[in-house]
Amino acid sequence: MTTLTQFADLIASRQISGQTVRFQIPDDWQQGVTAYGGLVAAIGACAIRDVLGEERALRALQVNFVGSVPAGPAAVQVTTLRSGKSVTQAQAIVSANGETACVISAVLALSRENSLTEFALTQPSTRPAEALDDLPFIPGRTPAFFQHFRSRWAEGDPPASAGSTLHSRIWMQLNSNPVNSELLCILF
């Protein structure tokens, strides 16, 4: 059995040099010829935070996958496009093997007073996770990155089943040491 690289360890081992943040992408985070997209987005967001800091909240993140991120070294180059009193626009370019693999645009902003009332989102009702079985990792059939998650199918037709439902609900949990909640949201 292969030793898995926990997400928290992958993030902790990054190397920061000015506007560039370097990561080592292991085989166990691959989905075929490229790294799991959530991981690529998360390392880009992590690099943005490393370069720009934590002062401003992440308000928007657009992720464009334009190439592959194979196992091995990946570099993220962060550029501040514009920074004003309260809003910063940034871009992160993830590259592997000298090729652009992902372009990420981020908007970060300070909190400010407003007249909007807060609203609470309600979780949709579905079968409880405790009542469901874990989906298995099947070597050669499921992507390598799937080993890093506990997944339980709660509702809808499984992928590639030619089912008729238009939605699905899946309980997922990261098998890792605790990580920053912002990166966790992006990872999923």
Side-chain angles (χ1 to χ4, degrees):
M1 181 170 178
T2 316
T3 302
L4 298 179
T5 305
Q6 289 195 19
F7 178 66
D9 295 337
L10 189 153
I11 295 298
S13 66
R14 69 191 182 280
Q15 299 174 339
I16 305 164
S17 177
Q19 306 294 107
T20 303
V21 183
R22 298 185 188 288
F23 296 85
Q24 189 64 33
I25 309 300
D27 287 325
D28 57 290
W29 277 96
Q30 296 294 293
Q31 62 175 22
V33 299
T34 191
Y36 166 57
L39 176 70
V40 176
I43 67 170
C46 179
I48 289 168
R49 284 292 186 206
D50 287 338
V51 172
L52 300 180
E54 301 283 335
E55 178 187 23
R56 296 174 181 211
L58 181 62
R59 303 294 183 187
L61 191 73
Q62 178 181 344
V63 182
N64 296 297
F65 302 104
V66 295
S68 297
V69 181
V76 184
Q77 181 68 39
V78 177
T79 304
T80 301
L81 302 174
R82 185 175 192 288
S83 191
K85 280 191 318 184
S86 61
V87 177
T88 298
Q89 304 271 342
Q91 181 180 65
I93 297 177
V94 180
S95 61
N97 297 329
E99 299 286 329
T100 298
C102 184
V103 178
I104 299 169
S105 297
V107 178
L108 302 102
L110 296 173
S111 294
R112 58 186 189 180
E113 302 225 5
N114 64 61
S115 61
L116 299 175
T117 57
E118 289 192 30
F119 63 95
L121 295 175
T122 57
Q123 181 175 327
S125 63
T126 192
R127 296 185 296 166
E130 303 77 32
L132 304 168
D133 294 326
D134 286 341
L135 296 173
F137 169 71
I138 305 167
R141 299 228 26 229
T142 51
F145 79 87
F146 197 71
Q147 301 170 85
H148 293 281
F149 300 95
R150 286 184 61 206
S151 301
R152 296 177 178 189
W153 201 272
E155 195 175 318
D157 296 316
S161 68
S164 60
T165 59
L166 298 177
H167 72 277
S168 58
R169 291 195 173 109
I170 306 168
W171 292 99
M172 294 188 74
Q173 179 180 14
L174 179 64
N175 294 327
S176 180
N177 294 329
V179 295
N180 170 303
S181 61
E182 182 178 273
L183 290 181
L184 186 61
C185 288
I186 295 166
L187 181 68
F188 280 102

